[in-house]
Amino acid sequence: MENDDIEVIQINIHGEDKPGLTSSLTDILARYDAAILDIGQANIHQTLSMGILFKTDSIRSGDIMKDLLFKAYELGIQIRFQPITVEQYEQWVGMQGKNRYIITMLGRKLTAQQIAAVTRVVAEQGLNIDSILRLTGRVSLDENARAPKSCIELSVRGNPHDKEGMQSRFLQLSTELGMDISFQKDDMFRRSRRLICFDMDSTLIETEVIDELAERAGVGAEVRAITESAMRGEIDFAESFRRRVAMLKGLDESVMADIAEHLPFTEGLDRLMHVLKRLGFKTAILSGGFTYFGNYLRRKYGFDYVYANELEIEDGKLTGRYLGDIVDGKRKAELLKLISQVENVDIAQTIAVGDGANDLPMLSVAGLGIAFHAKPKVKATAGQSLSTVGLDGILYFLGYKDSYIDDKQFKL
């Protein structure tokens, strides 16, 4: 077929979705041996929007459009034709090498204001939105019956004018409008993560265990002040750790069992761990806290690795000292790399999740670093942040839909 005889036509279909609609239209194209160059569709509230780009020749194009019009009338749908020149088509083909990114918007609910703000930034950065996908379930009008979270995913194409500036703006919008925004390169690693490493205190559990121990030892206020300062990155973690552990001297070891039995687990942990284990993820706790509590979580949730600090105990009492090296920020990053090597996992396939300044080294090393309900300094430095929902929000950052997660084989 000579170029002069080629006709490229785009058809746009809109109307009530019904079984057999796509088959009826593509059957007509097949009858005339038309080549489908691209096809896509979306369905919102039983209303279909479909686009088909096809190639034919000038002899058959008229008959194709006539038959499609008759079929559209028969099906009760609207159809529109748009001719595309060969030059326009080749220009479109040439754009396929552009970078693609995924923007995930997540919150307790998503509003038009939030979506407008994010898409405005996308437009200002010169990016095109290729598709928008809802990852969470359908939203009920009954406020009391609504799902506890809402998430959409935007697939965008192009090269942002100012990537750092865009991410900074997304962080600002997250704070101002009460949502989480993830911006990730859409590559082969995004949906093939295999190892996830967690901080423990204030990440997997909604407390700092050392503060709980300090309360039992009667030095709660003093230790809590040091903990908060260390998590903000104001004082060296190792030094703060030594000072806090020393204050626990004389505490009965039985206290640890009681605290473990009453640990407040973070929202979404059960759902997240259930899905991760079913998907074959390797999971690790890399904590500046204590092995006793890390091993408690290991038994409960099946973590594959636990690295934390060991408290020294003599005659049933804490001595105020610890055994071995401190698991600080640098050590966490080293352990993440070590585990990935042992498990033969590319570093790009790893995830790190934490809330404190001592988590930043592992967040920066991992393929996907997520600051979870983190301090401002940590959120500003980490690649991604999650602050409005529980730990199972991580699943949406990986592109998983509720319809997948809540399928029978994954239900808790």
Side-chain angles (χ1 to χ4, degrees):
M1 189 185 300
E2 297 292 332
N3 270 4
D4 290 344
D5 195 39
I6 291 176
E7 291 200 9
V8 179
I9 300 171
Q10 178 175 314
I11 56 175
N12 295 98
I13 302 104
H14 181 79
E16 181 185 354
D17 192 19
K18 57 192 71 176
L21 189 151
T22 303
S23 173
S24 298
L25 298 175
T26 53
D27 274 347
I28 294 172
L29 296 176
R31 193 184 312 148
Y32 290 97
D33 199 28
I36 294 179
L37 304 173
D38 196 18
I39 185 169
Q41 73 174 53
N43 189 317
I44 298 179
H45 193 60
Q46 298 181 327
T47 299
L48 175 77
S49 292
M50 175 188 287
I52 301 176
L53 191 66
F54 69 92
K55 181 187 75 171
T56 185
D57 56 45
S58 57
I59 297 174
R60 288 175 281 195
S61 62
D63 290 334
I64 291 175
M65 289 189 283
K66 180 187 68 175
D67 287 358
L68 286 171
L69 279 169
F70 278 122
K71 181 57 68 173
Y73 178 79
E74 179 184 316
L75 294 170
I77 58 174
Q78 301 172 28
I79 189 166
R80 184 166 58 88
F81 302 95
Q82 180 181 352
I84 307 294
T85 67
V86 172
E87 291 75 18
Q88 287 173 325
Y89 177 75
E90 292 300 338
Q91 183 181 16
W92 174 75
V93 170
M95 293 172 64
Q96 66 185 338
K98 285 192 175 183
N99 288 329
R100 289 184 179 274
Y101 298 92
I102 296 294
I103 298 172
T104 308
M105 297 178 58
L106 173 63
R108 295 296 176 183
K109 63 178 181 179
L110 291 179
T111 66
Q113 181 188 16
Q114 292 168 330
I115 296 171
V118 170
T119 53
R120 188 180 304 116
V121 174
V122 170
E124 290 169 352
Q125 289 291 329
L127 300 173
N128 291 325
I129 299 174
D130 282 343
S131 65
I132 301 176
L133 179 67
R134 174 170 47 82
L135 299 185
T136 44
R138 295 174 181 174
V139 179
S140 172
L141 295 177
D142 182 354
E143 293 281 351
N144 297 320
R146 282 191 177 182
K149 56 185 77 72
S150 183
C151 181
I152 61 173
E153 179 182 279
L154 285 67
S155 175
V156 302
R157 173 172 37 85
N159 296 306
H161 301 318
D162 178 7
K163 186 176 178 182
E164 288 187 6
M166 180 180 64
Q167 290 181 295
S168 177
R169 179 61 178 146
F170 281 159
L171 180 61
Q172 182 184 359
L173 289 175
S174 296
T175 303
E176 292 176 355
L177 301 179
M179 60 177 168
D180 294 307
I181 307 169
S182 167
F183 180 77
Q184 301 178 60
K185 183 79 176 290
D186 190 12
D187 56 25
M188 63 182 291
F189 295 114
R190 181 171 171 262
R191 287 185 176 86
S192 63
R193 313 288 186 189
R194 292 177 52 202
L195 168 66
I196 181 166
C197 299
F198 296 93
D199 174 44
M200 180 173 65
D201 297 57
S202 295
T203 299
L204 296 175
I205 55 177
E206 294 180 331
T207 188
E208 295 284 334
V209 166
I210 197 165
D211 293 346
E212 298 289 335
L213 292 169
E215 287 291 339
R216 304 295 184 94
V219 290
E222 298 94 318
V223 166
R224 197 159 45 247
I226 298 172
T227 299
E228 291 173 358
S229 183
M231 290 300 100
R232 290 193 298 267
E234 296 170 352
I235 58 176
D236 177 69
F237 178 81
E239 175 59 27
S240 73
F241 181 79
R242 283 189 285 268
R243 286 165 55 188
R244 288 177 290 168
V245 169
M247 293 181 185
L248 303 179
K249 183 178 180 179
L251 188 64
D252 195 284
E253 68 173 323
S254 64
V255 169
M256 293 196 292
D258 184 59
I259 291 174
E261 290 293 335
H262 297 91
L263 285 175
F265 299 112
T266 300
E267 175 196 351
L269 177 58
D270 284 1
R271 187 180 190 226
L272 173 65
M273 288 302 297
H274 181 82
V275 173
L276 291 178
K277 300 305 286 186
R278 291 298 302 270
L279 290 173
F281 274 73
K282 292 297 180 181
T283 56
I285 295 174
L286 308 181
S287 173
F290 304 114
T291 53
Y292 183 94
F293 302 96
N295 286 327
Y296 181 86
L297 266 68
R298 182 181 202 166
R299 291 189 295 271
K300 181 174 177 63
Y301 289 105
F303 284 94
D304 298 292
Y305 298 90
V306 172
Y307 289 94
N309 299 298
E310 186 77 28
L311 289 170
E312 184 183 68
I313 300 173
E314 291 181 356
D315 300 323
K317 304 285 186 182
L318 274 62
T319 66
R321 297 185 295 271
Y322 56 90
L323 304 173
D325 296 330
I326 295 175
V327 179
D328 57 8
K330 180 182 177 183
R331 182 60 177 153
K332 287 186 179 188
E334 292 170 348
L335 287 167
L336 185 149
K337 289 188 282 188
L338 176 63
I339 296 171
S340 70
Q341 291 170 2
V342 169
E343 294 293 344
N344 196 28
V345 173
D346 191 293
I347 199 71
Q349 294 176 280
T350 64
I351 305 168
V353 186
D355 74 300
N358 66 320
D359 295 311
L360 283 172
M362 74 170 180
L363 296 184
S364 63
V365 164
L368 176 63
I370 302 173
F372 181 74
H373 288 257
K375 284 67 179 175
K377 177 182 176 181
V378 181
K379 286 181 66 173
T381 307
Q384 316 292 337
S385 67
L386 187 62
S387 300
T388 61
V389 299
L391 280 167
D392 56 339
I394 293 169
L395 297 171
Y396 304 116
F397 282 9
L398 302 181
Y400 298 129
K401 299 176 65 176
D402 277 350
S403 56
Y404 303 157
I405 300 167
D406 296 330
D407 189 73
K408 287 181 181 179
Q409 64 176 320
F410 283 109
K411 276 198 171 181
L412 296 172

